Amino acid sequence: MGRPKGRTAKPHQGKRRRSMLKIYGVGASPFVRKVRVALIEKNVPYEMKTVFPGDNSPEYRAISPLGKIPALADGDFTIPDSSVICAYIEKTHPEPPLYPSEPKQLARALWFEEYGDTALAEVLTLGVFFQRVARPLLRGEQPDMNVVNEAVNERAPVLFDYLQSQLGDAEFLVGNSLTIADIAVCTQFVNFAHGGYTVDSSRWPKLAAYVERILGRESFKQLIEEEKATLPPPA
Ligand SMILES: N[C@@H](CCC(=O)N[C@@H](CS)C(=O)NCC(=O)O)C(=O)O
């Protein structure tokens, strides 16, 4: 039996065109980058609206009550928080999937996302990038190198040991393809690099190769280039 004629012709006629997704934030934020990489990997067009961290305007607080970046607008619908936004995008744009469907793998992917957003963010982004790049740039202050050295020499090694042990010989942290785990973890390494550091490949060879591989993907690469053009060298 054939399809009824004309059923598929001009399927969108009469329907309102979907407006482009809008991401509020600035490129150097690891959480903004996390969302942008997910969108690029899914080939979803989006536009950026510049909002700096801690924006106190009533307009932005109405979208992001904690004043944090990123936030998303999809037409009239708005929502803050990178993890929430990425989960939303997965539902609205399922291909390619960035969340495993198998429950245990999904749980591990969400765990690494949490680990990236908290433990890695505190050390690689707050401990290094904030001190050496954001603080001089936004506040005109010198970095506290005690904080940086403690982050690099004492706090990061514990995190790198753990990540390398979890990675083993695998290409990705969970399963056989890129997931939110890789995006959330590796976005923090971009800020570490903007802050002047990379993973020591003689001490953590597998982790260093993994980070280099993920950051070499087209999605990360194009954002890193864009950010480098706007950021000063680390102080
Ligand atoms: N859990 C949030 C964290 C976002 C976040 O901490 N963003 C920082 C910039 S990298 C921010 O906006 N900080 C401003 C503030 O805390 O007031 C997410 O995943 O989106």
Side-chain angles (χ1 to χ4, degrees):
M1 212 168 100
R3 283 174 109 140
K5 275 202 175 111
R7 282 261 332 250
T8 54
K10 297 183 182 169
H12 298 298
Q13 206 174 39
K15 284 190 184 167
R16 214 155 51 90
R17 276 188 63 191
R18 221 173 154 157
S19 58
M20 197 183 280
L21 296 183
K22 196 183 289 177
I23 304 297
Y24 298 82
V26 285
S29 157
F31 302 101
V32 171
R33 187 183 309 109
K34 185 180 145 192
V35 168
R36 295 178 81 188
V37 167
L39 288 168
I40 296 167
E41 290 284 346
K42 286 175 177 288
N43 208 12
V44 180
Y46 68 93
E47 57 187 329
M48 289 296 298
K49 170 107 177 74
T50 300
V51 172
F52 286 94
D55 188 311
N56 257 325
S57 68
E59 295 78 27
Y60 189 61
R61 291 277 164 160
I63 298 171
S64 181
L66 302 178
K68 296 190 185 204
I69 55 171
L72 165 89
D74 183 5
D76 294 340
F77 174 74
T78 59
I79 197 82
D81 195 279
S82 67
S83 301
V84 177
I85 296 167
C86 288
Y88 174 78
I89 294 166
E90 181 77 2
K91 288 285 184 192
T92 53
H93 300 83
E95 294 297 328
L98 294 176
Y99 295 76
S101 54
E102 195 278 319
K104 292 186 176 107
Q105 289 209 335
L106 173 64
R108 275 179 65 74
L110 294 176
W111 158 243
F112 286 119
E113 180 181 24
E114 174 67 13
Y115 189 79
D117 288 358
T118 56
L120 289 176
E122 275 163 33
V123 176
L124 306 188
T125 295
L126 268 183
V128 175
F129 173 80
F130 175 75
Q131 289 296 333
R132 296 197 69 194
V133 182
R135 198 174 164 184
L137 183 67
L138 300 176
R139 298 191 188 163
E141 294 172 0
Q142 284 303 301
D144 183 338
M145 287 310 286
N146 289 329
V147 172
V148 175
N149 290 332
E150 191 195 351
V152 173
N153 299 323
E154 289 167 41
R155 300 176 76 195
V158 183
L159 306 178
F160 294 175
D161 284 347
Y162 172 70
L163 280 176
Q164 181 161 275
S165 77
Q166 295 300 301
L167 190 60
D169 291 317
E171 194 176 338
F172 301 99
L173 273 169
V174 181
N176 297 319
S177 60
L178 184 85
T179 68
I180 194 67
D182 305 302
I183 298 174
V185 162
C186 289
T187 189
Q188 303 294 339
F189 282 95
V190 177
N191 288 80
F192 193 51
H194 286 329
Y197 298 90
T198 51
V199 178
D200 178 353
S201 61
S202 62
R203 190 163 169 194
W204 297 280
K206 288 177 184 173
L207 178 64
Y210 160 77
V211 170
E212 196 181 329
R213 207 163 51 237
I214 301 289
L215 299 193
R217 293 177 75 92
E218 204 44 53
S219 53
F220 268 108
K221 219 164 68 179
Q222 74 181 64
L223 296 180
I224 293 168
E225 287 308 312
E226 183 187 307
E227 291 163 31
K228 271 190 184 160
T230 65
L231 290 173

